[in-house]
Amino acid sequence: MIWLILFFMVPIWFLLQTALSQADAVGNTTFVWKWSNFSDSWHLYQHQYFLSFRYALIATLLCIAIGYPLAYVIAFRGGKYRNLLLGLVVVPFFTSYLVRTLAWKTILQDEGPFVGFLRNIHVVSEHGHVLSTQWAVIGGLTYNFLPFMVLPIYVSLEKIDVRLVDAARDLYSGPFRAFRKVVLPLSLPGIFAGSLLTFIPAAGDFVNASLLGSPQTRMIGNVVQGNFLQTLDYPSAAAISFVLMAIITVLVLIYARVLGTEELTV
Amino acid sequence: MAISNWPLYIDDKTVKDFQSASGISTTYTEDFNDNEEYYAKVKKILDQCNSIGRDIIVPTDWMANRMIGLGWAAKIDPAKVPNRVNLLDSLAHPSFDKDRTYTMPWQSGMTGLAYNKKLVADLGVKPPESFKDILAPAFKGKITLLTEMRDSVGLFMLMEGQDPSTATYESATKAFDALENASSSGQVRRFTGNDYADDLSNGNIVAAMAWSGDVASLLQNNPDLVFVVPPEGGMLFSDNMMIVATSEHIADAEAWIDYVYDPKHAAQITAGAQYISPVKGAGDELAKIAPDLASNPLINPPEDVQKRLHVFTKLEPEEEKKFQHPVPADPQRLTKTWLANLCVRAASRRTRCSRRG
């Protein structure tokens, strides 16, 4: 309880106080109950909120699409290499987030072999580029948050008793049906946890958009960062953070309701 | 005595030489990366008149203006800096510090257009001369501009035939619209600080709004780069040494300023930094130690180029506010908020906390 007060309530209280303040020209703030900060932060940056949630949603779906099969193979086909494979998923974490993202800048550079290949097969036009597009940003988010998806799914898959699958097969269900009726429902808690761990940080991320993006792909995290460090407009940055927090809470509650109840009934 | 300066802005001998010549122990740190960020870092401390652990910092003109306005600068005693007579006349009376009471320029630089001539040839177009040229469809997504408001707005004002040295919000409207269009149409790949240098040298972009000294250093590894000051004009900026008001080593700091205003020492610094020296006679001294640098137009710009350079006007706080939040033509398209986020606020409050009268 004391930790909750110390590390959550107190910072939130200061954030709220800043969000309701008025900024002067040189970065000083005075507390004046300025509620309009909230409506302004929504009106001015609607588009950036929208982009953030869109990119985060696509990245989360991609993470499920890539992460689920990966976790499945490790859990059921990994055999004695299980721990090694799992370790390989985690190894990129040994380098800094920033460096990993910068590495993608090198991989995707315009004159590099990857873009050269895409140009040869006409996926990208002759002078086109991959870097500084929304796909680079979404790709970066997917890459960076993939382990957060793989690990929870792996944990829930690993706990499944394989005899349940055998039982389903004995009762004349095909392999696909056995997966759909037995494995998938039992791994839903993993997908649920993984999605939260991916979506929430991805929606507030600014590193990928600032390194791999362009002026059109500015996410809400970039706006907060700019307002804090460049414009010194602390109140508006604090208000944006609050609105972002509120929207994510609502989205998570809806998500928990939809997926959470299913998980209980199945 | 401690100095904060921008990265790669000095040679590797001057600090050692100064220490042995004067006996003043000196710490030189390259942690001044961004005017606005440095300001945010030291603001709370200097507001309370506490020491920031630095005696000399090197803000750009407009930031020096704000810091002087806030009372953060100590006066430089002219008697302690006899070499100040070597300051170039063109830099002796800037609008923010009429008689150089608080500041002395460290280095100056030009902002103009840089491009990779090999990649331009690959695009099949003729080499660009002005920013109008790189707004052509062939360059779409292949150019970067600078986050520094005074450079991007200033150069686009020149492109639109306006003079940034007398800029008002009204006269800059066309420049804002041009920037807005370039940004929202995807013509501009990114707005950058120094990091355009990487994109330019590894071929991610073909042309960039660039600082002369950066290009001078990049040229050593990549001879395909070209820096031009457009015929309609380029921007001129200086970074200025300023003694922090709470400094306890003001006399030592003055000794340093005097030392670097000796043409010989100034030439040595310029040979390392590859920017433009504000010191009279540094060019001749440079010719003795590095003749190829002395003849480099990026370090020693010819007179016709110098005539085309402009310094962005000093903005009053009210005017500055308008520059930060330009009203978009179409309120639904608020891409202009990049400017709101990147541009700066002017000083509106005065405090004094100098430890010396």
Side-chain angles (χ1 to χ4, degrees):
Chain A
M1 187 62 193
I2 181 126
W3 300 119
L4 195 64
I5 292 174
L6 213 59
F7 293 121
F8 184 70
M9 296 308 280
V10 173
I12 287 283
W13 171 249
F14 282 122
L15 192 66
L16 186 64
Q17 205 174 15
T18 314
L20 291 171
S21 297
Q22 163 98 47
D24 79 346
V26 288
N28 298 304
T29 54
T30 30
F31 183 70
V32 288
W33 295 105
K34 198 167 175 241
W35 292 101
S36 63
N37 281 339
F38 286 101
S39 49
D40 285 351
S41 82
W42 175 251
H43 287 308
L44 284 172
Y45 303 113
Q46 245 171 355
H47 182 60
Q48 279 81 2
Y49 281 111
F50 170 73
L51 279 188
S52 301
F53 291 123
R54 190 166 87 171
Y55 294 169
L57 183 67
I58 299 177
T60 308
L61 294 176
L62 284 173
C63 277
I64 297 177
I66 301 167
Y68 198 96
L70 186 61
Y72 188 92
V73 168
I74 298 175
F76 292 122
R77 303 271 184 275
K80 61 177 175 171
Y81 297 112
R82 251 189 197 188
N83 288 337
L84 176 72
L85 291 171
L86 212 56
L88 288 178
V89 172
V90 187
V91 158
F93 269 80
F94 295 178
T95 35
S96 127
Y97 182 36
L98 209 61
V99 173
R100 275 181 283 142
T101 312
L102 275 171
W104 275 102
K105 227 185 136 163
T106 313
I107 295 170
L108 297 178
Q109 73 187 25
D110 286 21
E111 304 301 315
F114 180 69
V115 175
F117 171 71
L118 291 183
R119 281 177 184 162
N120 283 340
I121 61 169
H122 296 284
V123 173
V124 171
S125 66
E126 193 194 344
H127 291 297
H129 50 89
V130 176
L131 209 58
S132 307
T133 63
Q134 55 173 342
W135 295 111
V137 178
I138 294 169
L141 290 170
T142 310
Y143 165 75
N144 277 312
F145 293 110
L146 187 61
F148 291 101
M149 183 64 83
V150 174
L151 295 178
I153 294 180
Y154 171 80
V155 169
S156 62
L157 284 174
E158 200 226 355
K159 279 192 302 202
I160 295 175
D161 189 339
V162 276
R163 285 172 306 175
L164 289 174
V165 184
D166 294 340
R169 298 300 299 275
D170 283 348
L171 296 166
Y172 300 105
S173 113
F176 179 71
R177 197 149 171 235
F179 171 78
R180 198 165 54 92
K181 289 282 184 187
V182 179
V183 179
L184 188 62
L186 285 173
S187 62
L188 267 185
I191 298 178
F192 177 72
S195 305
L196 291 187
L197 287 175
T198 307
F199 183 82
I200 296 173
D205 185 79
F206 69 93
V207 173
N208 288 283
S210 73
L211 294 179
L212 307 173
S214 72
Q216 280 89 48
T217 63
R218 277 168 69 80
M219 294 170 70
I220 199 69
N222 300 82
V223 177
V224 173
Q225 193 230 10
N227 280 358
F228 259 112
L229 290 177
Q230 246 93 37
T231 343
L232 306 180
D233 192 349
Y234 301 140
S236 114
I240 295 169
S241 308
F242 248 96
V243 174
L244 182 68
M245 209 154 41
I247 299 175
I248 289 182
T249 311
V250 171
L251 289 179
V252 167
L253 287 177
I254 295 173
Y255 184 63
R257 227 187 150 80
V258 172
L259 206 67
T261 46
E262 219 175 281
E263 173 203 325
L264 288 176
T265 50
V266 172
Chain B
M1 206 256 305
I3 304 165
S4 266
N5 206 342
W6 299 75
L8 306 176
Y9 223 15
I10 195 169
D11 62 296
D12 45 18
K13 281 196 304 221
T14 302
V15 177
K16 278 185 232 151
D17 290 355
F18 171 72
Q19 293 203 68
S20 46
S22 65
I24 297 167
S25 111
T26 309
T27 335
Y28 182 95
T29 322
E30 301 190 328
D31 62 352
F32 204 106
N33 271 308
D34 179 303
N35 280 302
E36 205 61 73
E37 269 182 39
Y38 199 87
Y39 173 81
K41 247 195 283 184
V42 299
K43 179 175 184 307
K44 283 248 154 65
I45 309 170
L46 284 176
D47 272 351
Q48 293 164 3
C49 294
N50 289 324
S51 164
I52 56 167
R54 298 282 185 275
D55 302 296
I56 293 183
I57 56 175
V58 190
T60 307
D61 300 321
W62 57 270
M63 182 52 85
N65 177 41
R66 184 196 296 180
M67 288 177 164
I68 294 170
L70 287 168
W72 291 0
K75 279 188 180 161
I76 300 170
D77 185 351
K80 298 263 184 61
V81 189
N83 278 336
R84 58 179 287 138
V85 293
N86 292 334
L87 174 62
L88 287 180
D89 299 332
S90 56
L91 291 167
H93 305 286
S95 56
F96 63 89
D97 190 8
K98 280 267 180 260
D99 298 309
R100 289 287 180 189
T101 317
Y102 297 101
T103 59
M104 287 293 271
W106 172 255
Q107 299 278 289
S108 298
M110 301 178 280
T111 317
L113 173 66
Y115 63 88
N116 183 323
K117 64 183 174 200
K118 205 174 124 246
L119 294 178
V120 168
D122 285 350
L123 289 179
V125 290
K126 69 175 177 43
E129 284 177 357
S130 129
F131 285 93
K132 270 244 153 66
D133 299 334
I134 63 167
L135 294 179
F139 288 92
K140 185 165 180 183
K142 297 269 175 198
I143 62 169
T144 58
L145 301 180
L146 292 167
T147 53
E148 191 75 59
M149 184 273 269
R150 282 158 177 84
D151 285 327
S152 283
V153 174
L155 283 164
F156 269 61
M157 283 183 75
L158 288 164
M159 183 184 87
E160 296 291 344
Q162 306 285 345
D163 182 1
S165 57
T166 56
T168 59
Y169 180 68
E170 284 69 33
S171 75
T173 319
K174 273 188 172 169
F176 282 127
D177 287 343
L179 281 168
E180 154 83 17
N181 284 336
S183 162
S184 59
S185 67
Q187 186 75 20
V188 178
R189 181 150 170 162
R190 284 172 69 211
F191 286 88
T192 69
N194 277 96
D195 42 336
Y196 69 85
D198 282 340
D199 283 337
L200 197 59
S201 52
N202 64 25
N204 283 337
I205 52 170
V206 175
M209 190 179 279
W211 289 308
S212 57
D214 287 353
V215 181
S217 332
L218 288 177
L219 265 171
Q220 293 171 345
N221 295 323
N222 192 343
D224 290 328
L225 298 183
V226 181
F227 180 88
V228 289
V229 173
E232 67 267 17
M235 299 301 291
L236 179 68
F237 64 86
S238 306
D239 295 321
N240 306 276
M241 289 182 280
M242 189 183 99
I243 303 179
V244 183
T246 56
S247 163
E248 279 164 3
H249 310 100
I250 289 181
D252 295 347
E254 284 163 345
W256 165 262
I257 295 175
D258 191 53
Y259 184 84
V260 300
Y261 263 79
D262 181 304
K264 260 197 188 131
H265 307 146
Q268 194 174 312
I269 292 169
T270 295
Q274 314 222 341
Y275 272 88
I276 304 167
S277 178
V279 179
K280 276 183 207 164
D284 298 337
E285 291 294 331
L286 189 63
K288 287 183 207 158
I289 56 170
D292 51 324
L293 286 181
S295 60
N296 184 340
L298 291 177
I299 292 164
N300 214 343
E303 210 144 294
D304 65 306
V305 171
Q306 283 187 31
K307 277 195 193 130
R308 297 209 300 273
L309 298 176
H310 301 256
V311 177
F312 204 90
T313 187
K314 175 183 163 187
L315 294 172
E316 296 304 326
E318 278 314 299
E319 195 75 2
E320 172 120 18
K321 266 204 177 130
K322 288 199 210 158
F323 272 86
Q324 292 160 26
H325 300 287
V327 181
D330 173 2
Q332 291 302 308
R333 270 173 54 204
L334 271 159
T335 42
K336 255 183 193 167
T337 46
W338 76 265
L339 276 172
N341 282 315
L342 299 167
C343 302
V344 289
R345 289 162 181 263
S348 67
R349 201 170 58 96
R350 285 180 164 267
T351 52
R352 293 226 58 89
C353 49
S354 180
R355 292 212 174 138
R356 184 163 86 179

